Amino acid sequence: MSQLLNRRLALLSERANLTLLEQCLHGIERECLRVTADARLAQTPHPEELGSALTNDQITTDYSESLLEFITPALPDPAQTLASLDKIHRFAYSKLGNEFLWSPSMPCPLPAEEDIPIAYYGTSNIGQLKYVYRKGLALRYGKTMQCIAGIHYNFSLPEKLWQLQQQSEGSEQSARDYQSARYIALIRNFRRYSWLLMYLFGASPALSAGFLRGRAHKLDTLSDDTLYLPYATSLRMSDLGYQSNAQAGLTPCYNDLASYTDSLREAVATPYAPYVEIGTHKDGEWVQLNTNILQIENEYYSNIRPKRVTYTGERPIQALMARGIQYIEVRCLDINPFLPMGIDLPESRFLDAFLLYCALNDSPLFANNECGNATSNFLSVVKEGRRPGLQLQRDGQPVDYEGALIKRAAPSDKDYQLLKAGQSLTVQAEVSGLYDMSAQGQYSIRYLLPTVAQEGKAAKAKQAQASESNAVTLWVDGVSDERVLAKAAVAEPQAVSASVSFSGRCTNTQKSDILAALDAASGIANNSSSYLAVDKPNGQRYRSWFGAYDATRWNQAETHFSKIKDAIDNKPLTFDCGCKQSYFAYVYPDQPYKVYLCKSFWTAPVTGTDSRAGTIVHELSHFNVVAGTDDLGYGQTNARNLASTDPVKALNNADNHEYFAENTPSEN
């Protein structure tokens, strides 16, 4: 954790301050559509039994007349907040008659656009104002968008907490300005890290086919009436949700409250040509409040908002400017369709912890393209957040893998474990010995199971699909890499010649076998280098293992084998015989030129497919100073498939180098 976060937490953990965090307030606004028994949109008016949508402070409507909104009071215990929401749910259900509440965020199958009712609030001035505002939203975004539902989570920290921290940090700002600045800092951190909420709680990867109203899209078909994206978390929060070209250039700055309110005031006062063309009236009736980018400030659809309770007749932006930020409203949460209320206590507790982290941690101003990067990260997760990939990142940057790269045989049935629908697998993995985690920062870890080629030999392999684990995020203060020191502490190798040595208690027979394999490896490496010394655009041997001819990739392959040949002929190689595992061999790519030989190496032929000579070529290609290859696919079938489908990856796969060098069956 950062030093600033530690100091702030230490202050709050003092005996006199322990109760401050218990005074945080939590409120929930939950939206949901009224539907008929056959899961169609209810087109009936707002039930009178639920009270007036204009004046009831717990049950109202949102954009559509069919879109209910349940509002809890702000309470110190999230369990109490959820109990209040439960009570509102139960009351509403008792008054709905034959209608039901639609659980997911994305709407049920909808009627024609013109048949979706707009929320109506009566004939009073304020009621008509709210109605015309929603008519404007329908004009600008379409009535279909007014049927999307979500959860808004309101959160505040007690003013005494802000006062305590202001005093501790010696800020000379007014109490109002300090509190607002700290809430704005919370919002900046929220924008940095809110992709995590989409990954954990996104629950709208699919939508009704009719939702798009014939618009072009890149969604996949799940069924006749359902479209989806296979790796999406929240289509609701994607560009398919409540978005607008008019707002595309509107990105309020969160460096301070004044710049935020200024940007919204400007948007409310700036005409937008397409809206100007429509005008405010049609056939003598109001169709929108004005022709500006935003009709009112709340039209700006953000993932999080700074808020202040308003007085009668006061606009939200006026309240913020006059009295500062009082709480924040998180607006990006999908409804969990598997929960009765769409949210539960564990999610609420997590949100509290997440928002406290955002509030108490250091939050530097957005620099350079950081604001745009935060938006990009968020949008990437909502559309591709579940895309397979083993990823270890520190502060948004990939961390170098420094663990063993292992040559294994092509997978067989015994290498697979069948997971039926609903099953999961839990695995403990020690990553500190595999990755450089010596630098301080925020780390994110997940495990990748890649797609197995359809041509795989194993029956189960043919059915294997790409998948990935959940992500684990943690903060590391920075420690010395003891793993490197431990590796360096192994017994000194036993030198046999100037260029070759052995460790791990190699027997005389093993030493002899290694030298024979090394001689054969030198031969196939020389042959490979000679082949690549002359361009052969139609050379089948190259195409089999590295794909279609490309001059740049050909030259890269030539460089790889030149370095492999040099390593065999000129570098101080060490072979370790102590490995008792079933695979062929392994190396640490950052520790040239030591190769650990395992059981399958000793039973392999000297030359041919998956040979001892080929294994040496395979392992030497892994070293960062040689070719820096990875293990992206094992076996000839997977290597050939990689060459034909992704030549760039083939050039980064060690087995492709081995099979090119072994050249069995022989190709020109």
Side-chain angles (χ1 to χ4, degrees):
M1 297 187 295
S2 69
Q3 292 183 354
L4 180 62
L5 178 58
N6 276 326
R7 287 200 303 271
R8 288 171 172 173
L9 289 175
L11 180 64
L12 293 174
S13 65
E14 294 177 6
R15 182 180 297 274
N17 305 325
L18 282 174
T19 61
L20 286 176
L21 289 180
E22 297 176 2
Q23 300 172 35
C24 294
L25 296 179
H26 318 77
I28 294 175
E29 302 165 27
R30 189 261 166 95
E31 302 163 337
C32 48
L33 284 173
R34 290 184 292 112
V35 297
T36 62
D38 59 351
R40 299 289 172 174
L41 186 72
Q43 296 172 282
T44 53
H46 181 68
E48 293 182 359
E49 295 82 358
L50 297 179
S52 168
L54 181 63
T55 59
N56 190 332
D57 59 1
Q58 290 192 321
I59 302 177
T60 183
T61 55
D62 206 331
Y63 300 131
S64 170
E65 182 77 353
S66 307
L67 186 63
L68 290 173
E69 184 173 16
F70 301 152
I71 306 168
T72 74
L75 300 169
D77 186 346
Q80 295 175 334
T81 305
L82 288 167
S84 174
L85 184 61
D86 178 72
K87 186 180 294 184
I88 297 171
H89 270 76
R90 293 177 184 275
F91 173 80
Y93 255 121
S94 72
K95 306 299 183 181
L96 287 181
N98 295 326
E99 294 179 351
F100 298 86
L101 300 180
W102 181 253
S103 290
S105 282
M106 300 308 287
C108 62
L110 297 173
E113 183 85 1
E114 60 271 17
D115 294 329
I116 298 175
I118 296 173
Y120 185 71
Y121 301 92
T123 58
S124 68
N125 288 338
I126 185 66
Q128 283 296 293
L129 180 68
K130 290 168 70 72
Y131 179 61
V132 173
Y133 168 59
R134 284 156 175 78
K135 289 178 69 175
L137 295 177
L139 187 71
R140 298 175 176 211
Y141 308 96
K143 293 181 181 179
T144 297
M145 295 296 172
Q146 296 182 326
C147 297
I148 297 174
I151 285 179
H152 298 172
Y153 195 81
N154 300 310
F155 178 82
S156 69
L157 292 94
E159 291 187 357
K160 289 183 179 179
L161 183 150
W162 297 126
Q163 295 166 3
L164 173 70
Q165 296 203 344
Q166 181 178 10
Q167 182 180 7
S168 172
E169 295 171 11
S171 172
E172 296 182 357
Q173 294 176 291
S174 67
R176 184 199 70 176
D177 289 346
Y178 177 83
Q179 179 173 312
S180 292
R182 288 293 302 277
Y183 272 121
I184 288 291
L186 183 162
I187 291 173
R188 282 199 301 274
N189 277 338
F190 183 91
R191 294 209 62 216
R192 288 185 172 102
Y193 308 127
S194 56
W195 58 266
L196 177 62
L197 299 182
M198 295 296 92
Y199 180 78
L200 294 175
F201 303 115
S204 57
L207 48 76
S208 171
F211 176 84
L212 297 177
R213 304 295 189 187
R215 288 185 293 161
H217 62 83
K218 296 182 179 179
L219 303 180
D220 295 343
T221 298
L222 185 63
S223 66
D224 291 341
D225 57 359
T226 305
L227 303 174
Y228 82 115
L229 282 179
Y231 305 120
T233 62
S234 178
L235 294 181
R236 165 179 167 265
M237 297 305 302
S238 74
D239 54 358
L240 298 173
Y242 219 101
Q243 304 293 327
S244 161
N245 291 332
Q247 295 188 25
L250 179 60
T251 306
C253 178
Y254 294 102
N255 287 338
D256 52 61
L257 178 58
S259 62
Y260 171 80
T261 56
D262 286 347
S263 64
L264 291 187
R265 282 197 302 170
E266 182 180 357
V268 173
T270 303
Y272 183 63
Y275 301 159
V276 173
E277 186 176 348
I278 297 171
T280 58
H281 288 74
K282 184 178 181 180
D283 299 329
E285 294 187 359
W286 284 90
V287 294
Q288 55 183 339
L289 294 178
N290 55 53
T291 58
N292 300 327
I293 296 174
L294 302 177
Q295 298 176 94
I296 60 176
E297 306 93 285
N298 282 353
E299 188 177 338
Y300 176 61
Y301 196 84
S302 58
N303 298 337
I304 184 171
R305 281 180 184 166
K307 300 279 285 192
R308 162 70 64 174
V309 174
T310 58
Y311 298 146
T312 301
E314 188 180 38
R315 290 166 51 190
I317 199 169
Q318 293 172 328
L320 286 172
M321 294 169 63
R323 300 184 301 283
I325 302 174
Q326 184 180 14
Y327 65 100
I328 55 94
E329 178 188 35
V330 176
R331 300 169 50 82
C332 59
L333 298 173
D334 283 347
I335 296 167
N336 187 331
F338 303 106
L339 297 174
M341 296 181 291
I343 184 173
D344 60 5
L345 189 58
E347 181 175 350
S348 183
R349 296 287 192 200
F350 183 91
L351 289 170
D352 284 0
F354 179 80
L355 293 171
L356 283 171
Y357 175 83
C358 291
L360 300 177
N361 199 21
D362 189 23
S363 181
L365 301 180
F366 286 129
N368 299 323
N369 298 321
E370 190 180 1
C371 189
N373 291 338
T375 301
S376 178
N377 289 338
F378 184 90
L379 293 176
S380 294
V381 172
V382 301
K383 296 186 78 171
E384 295 190 314
R386 297 188 177 100
R387 180 174 293 280
L390 174 61
Q391 299 173 350
L392 186 67
Q393 295 187 331
R394 178 177 58 244
D395 299 332
Q397 300 298 317
V399 178
D400 290 336
Y401 176 76
E402 295 183 346
L405 290 176
I406 301 168
K407 172 175 165 56
R408 306 177 188 270
S412 62
D413 283 345
K414 64 181 178 62
D415 296 308
Y416 292 84
Q417 179 172 340
L418 180 63
L419 292 180
K420 298 180 179 179
Q423 288 186 326
S424 63
L425 179 66
T426 301
V427 176
Q428 292 185 347
E430 172 58 60
V431 297
S432 64
L434 307 178
Y435 290 87
D436 176 14
M437 302 181 72
S438 59
Q440 178 173 285
Q442 191 83 28
Y443 289 75
S444 177
I445 306 166
R446 77 170 50 122
Y447 178 76
L448 164 70
L449 177 67
T451 301
V452 176
Q454 292 295 313
E455 295 85 357
K457 297 176 182 178
K460 292 180 182 177
K462 295 179 181 179
Q463 304 175 23
Q465 299 178 1
S467 60
E468 64 177 359
S469 72
N470 59 301
V472 177
T473 302
L474 67 158
W475 178 272
V476 175
D477 275 332
V479 296
S480 61
D481 194 348
E482 301 294 337
R483 176 183 58 81
V484 174
L485 298 176
K487 289 182 187 175
V490 298
E492 289 292 320
Q494 177 186 355
V496 174
S497 69
S499 60
V500 181
S501 58
F502 303 99
S503 63
R505 297 184 179 183
C506 297
T507 65
N508 289 334
T509 299
Q510 287 173 326
K511 294 176 184 178
S512 178
D513 289 345
I514 292 170
L515 293 174
L518 188 62
D519 184 64
S522 177
I524 61 176
N526 286 336
N527 178 269
S528 300
S529 291
S530 298
Y531 179 97
L532 294 166
V534 181
D535 280 359
K536 300 177 182 178
N538 297 318
Q540 186 55 49
R541 177 180 175 185
Y542 177 88
R543 298 173 73 88
S544 291
W545 304 114
F546 296 120
Y549 175 82
D550 175 87
T552 300
R553 292 197 298 270
W554 182 286
N555 292 334
Q556 188 176 350
E558 182 182 8
T559 300
H560 287 182
F561 276 97
S562 176
K563 291 184 176 181
I564 293 171
K565 178 178 179 297
D566 179 65
I568 294 173
D569 295 342
N570 301 309
K571 302 302 181 183
L573 303 177
T574 299
F575 294 94
D576 188 286
C577 304
C579 174
K580 305 302 181 184
Q581 301 297 322
S582 61
Y583 32 80
F584 284 82
Y586 68 91
V587 299
Y588 293 96
D590 59 338
Q591 296 184 17
Y593 295 90
K594 186 170 185 176
V595 180
Y596 297 81
L597 304 174
C598 305
K599 286 184 177 181
S600 292
F601 177 86
W602 306 111
T603 59
V606 177
T607 58
T609 303
D610 290 313
S611 63
R612 297 176 187 175
T615 296
I616 292 175
V617 170
H618 176 118
E619 297 303 330
L620 292 179
S621 77
H622 279 318
F623 291 122
N624 296 333
V625 297
V626 180
T629 62
D630 205 339
D631 288 317
L632 304 176
Y634 292 112
Q636 284 195 340
T637 298
N638 286 326
R640 288 184 185 272
N641 183 67
L642 205 60
S644 64
T645 60
D646 198 333
V648 174
K649 287 185 178 179
L651 203 54
N652 190 39
N653 190 46
D655 255 8
N656 287 71
H657 289 72
E658 174 178 343
Y659 296 134
F660 177 86
E662 291 172 342
N663 194 28
T664 54
S666 181
E667 293 177 320
N668 295 321

